[in-house]
Amino acid sequence: MRLENLFADILGVEPGALSEASSPDTIDGWDSLMGINLIMAMQEAYGVQFSTDEITTMWSLGDARRSLAAKGVSA
Amino acid sequence: MSLIEQRLAWARLARSGRGPALRIALLATYTIDPLTPYLGMALEAAGLPAEIRVGPFDQIAIQCLDPASETAAYRPDVLVVHPRLEDLWAGLPTPLAGPSEPYAEAASTYASAAVEAGARWGATVVFVLPAVPDLRPLGVGDAGNAAGVFATANAVRETLRRHLAGRAGVLIADMEAELRAIGTEAAEAPALWATARIPYAEAAFARLGAQLARLIALSRLPARKVVAVDADGTLWGGVVGEDGPDGVVLGDRGPGAAHVAFQRYLLALREAGVLLVLASKNEEADVWAAFARPEMVLKREHLADWRIGWNPKSESLMAMAETLRLGLESFCLIDDNPAELAEVGARCPQVAGLLMPADPAGWRQALSAERALDRLPPTAEDRARPQSYAQERERAAIREALTPEAYLAALGLSVRITEAAEPDLPRLAQLVAKTNQFNLTCRRRDAAALAALVGSPGAIVRLASARDRFGDYGVVGAAIALETPDGATLDTFLLSCRAMGRGIERAMLADLQARSAQRGFGPLVAAIETHPRNEPARRFFAELGATDTPGPLAECAWPVHLAIHEEVSA
């Protein structure tokens, strides 16, 4: 599953409404709990584990994509 | 469905704005939000669409006790409460040498608060027993410490269980069961705990959600009470028609031992009130010859009924449903043959078909994962049920020899009808949930809702128990009348199917009319309601002049053949 589609499903928005810069500042309903929802969904969907550091520094969709890429996941 | 698919499916459902659903509130000492999709989807699959609201983080007591709290305002039907011992013990030293009581204090406070809130809101409380914390300051030495972490956690868990078990409207779940199933390492999520106070990984939430849904379904939907089994390949290995009664595989080693272990499991189900029946394609004499083998722990007298012959299994099940006077939705069929299950599934879709793996050694594990076999702790009536079906066979023998009037007189039937009180609630709730055929209104209320009626000035709640010369029926009937401005309306009138047609229904109605007059409610008004299987109740009330619009019922007389017994039998 493409990362923007996963984010769109969890956030309840159209994939087209998302960009690499999408973050809690730009998307309604993306609060801290939703952020954790996204982390848990990524861990489940791509079979990865994020460290405490990665979780606390991941802010935007672009950040998430880079963290995944660092784990060898291109999504 | 994979975990991520469940999560996404729930997100779509929750946004779909669908109609009325079960309202569920979650309260925990940690961030319990990730439970929502798994609980929601598991309830959906069980036929109980739900709306789930997560209460504020770590506010169990205040949310339960403050009448102005968000959770109180939400008015949940089900309140799920899950404290973790790690959180409750945060201000205490790790258990090492002291008494266990201080470690139980906060947990007991939360349990009491939840029970109180459930009673006030008319909500079912689901209390999740906390898991044993994975803290081991002594490492492997904790096992040898009677005041250590494991020992203290178990003491607290048992204190909670004793405090809550058997209470009306309270269900007990257990987080430890899920940690055992997947292992603490896979269940914990240290990075999520550090960042968001989420202690568990998705897999643990998924399992807890499934357990809670099974428990909630069990309290709201009728439990299956008949387990039908095949003989060949199930009770023993091999085929008795080909291998002969001495050739089928039974014993205390090898595959035969697995079949004997499965028989022991069936006997444990029977102890808890499950009726065991046999549906086998065989010559009857062959089957009983194999039953005579000394290795058989399941005996013929343990069976409530059997059909042995060459007709399709669906027909055998339908015939036994008729004899036992139970609906097919009460049946599970355990079989190792997918073709048999498919045949039954096509003709009797109400039956839960449980396909067993090829190796009988794996059956017990396969069965413990089956929702169809879940049961709440049995009432005295449940435990006596298998015996009562044996008594029923003796009654049938004299029924065939006598006229209906002489038969009723010969039964020596007596009835005791009393006002329902708090200790009666589990049985009352069970009758209300399960009775289908002789049930005029099929109004399903859970124990909490019934508790609100029992003892209320505007309600009469009567319970009927009966016995005859063959045995005790236990509590078999319930009737509820509610006061209205100009009389009383018949809200609930039900009788267990095994007690129908013996005059007990007349006695119950005569009693209710007398009580209604005595309490000053005035005449009893009833309407016939049509529900899928309640024809016996409709026919009885039609004879008394009831129609499908509410109207007064004719005066009902106590049947002359029925005695009244006062004392409660054991």
Side-chain angles (χ1 to χ4, degrees), chain B residues 245-263:
Chain B
D246 293 323
V248 296
V249 183
L250 282 167
D252 59 3
R253 288 286 184 281
H259 290 287
V260 172
F262 176 66
Q263 292 184 24

Side-chain angles (χ1 to χ4, degrees), chain B residues 353-373:
Chain B
L354 311 182
L355 177 65
M356 291 297 101
D359 184 349
W363 288 8
R364 192 189 45 77
Q365 282 177 332
L367 288 168
S368 67
E370 287 292 347
R371 186 165 72 85
L373 292 172

